[in-house]
């Protein structure tokens, strides 16, 4: 799953048309907008990075859109590397009193 927020600046004279066109896109919802400032905040929820980027490109190509910049993006496509996952499991299964901290967690692993 990929979630991102997009800050969109649109032309003031076509604000409502741009808002409707963006809201109609697949994977996109609009939780907030400010018509006076001609700014729309959109959320993209997609199953892959490629789908997320496709939705952002579709937003950019809507008539009246001046800019569409991802502000925040989260992806769970790339899980933690195996060595980090194993270290986290070891930490979770170790009594805190048995741990010795020396400025580097690898000292006790």
């Amino acid at each position: 799953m990929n979630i991102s927020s997009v800050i969109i600046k649109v032309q003031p004279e076509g604000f409502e048309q741009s808002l409707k066109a963006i809201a109609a896109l697949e994977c996109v919802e609009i939780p907030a907008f400010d018509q006076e400032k001609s700014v729309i905040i959109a959320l993209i929820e997609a199953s892959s990075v490629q789908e997320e980027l496709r939705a952002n490109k579709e937003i950019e190509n809507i008539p009246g859109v001046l800019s569409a910049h991802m502000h925040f993006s989260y992806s769970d496509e790339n899980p933690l590397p195996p060595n980090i996952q194993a270290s986290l499991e070891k930490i979770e299964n170790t009594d805190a009193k048995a741990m010795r901290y020396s400025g580097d967690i690898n000292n006790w692993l």
Side-chain angles (χ1 to χ4, degrees):
M1 174 177 45
N2 295 278
I3 301 170
S4 61
S5 61
V6 183
I7 299 173
I8 306 162
K9 183 74 174 164
V10 299
Q11 293 175 340
E13 57 276 1
F15 183 85
E16 289 183 24
Q17 294 84 354
S18 297
L19 182 67
K20 287 178 186 176
I22 294 165
L25 294 175
E26 186 180 340
C27 307
V28 178
E29 67 179 76
I30 299 174
F33 62 87
D34 186 332
Q35 189 165 357
E36 284 184 19
K37 295 180 180 178
S38 299
V39 173
I40 301 169
I41 306 299
L43 294 177
I44 299 173
E45 184 175 345
S47 60
S48 68
V49 172
Q50 289 77 19
E51 188 177 335
E52 182 180 33
L53 293 173
R54 178 197 51 76
N56 194 71
K57 273 286 186 215
E58 287 180 356
I59 292 169
E60 290 175 338
N61 291 327
I62 289 176
V65 170
L66 300 172
S67 64
H69 299 288
M70 283 192 187
H71 180 70
F72 170 82
S73 185
Y74 166 80
S75 174
D76 64 2
E77 284 187 21
N78 299 320
L80 293 173
N83 60 332
I84 292 177
Q85 186 63 42
S87 296
L88 289 175
E89 289 170 8
K90 187 173 181 181
I91 290 169
E92 289 174 358
N93 297 323
T94 303
D95 181 11
K97 293 178 183 175
M99 293 183 194
R100 179 181 49 89
Y101 180 71
S102 299
D104 184 356
I105 198 160
N106 291 314
N107 286 335
W108 70 271
L109 294 179

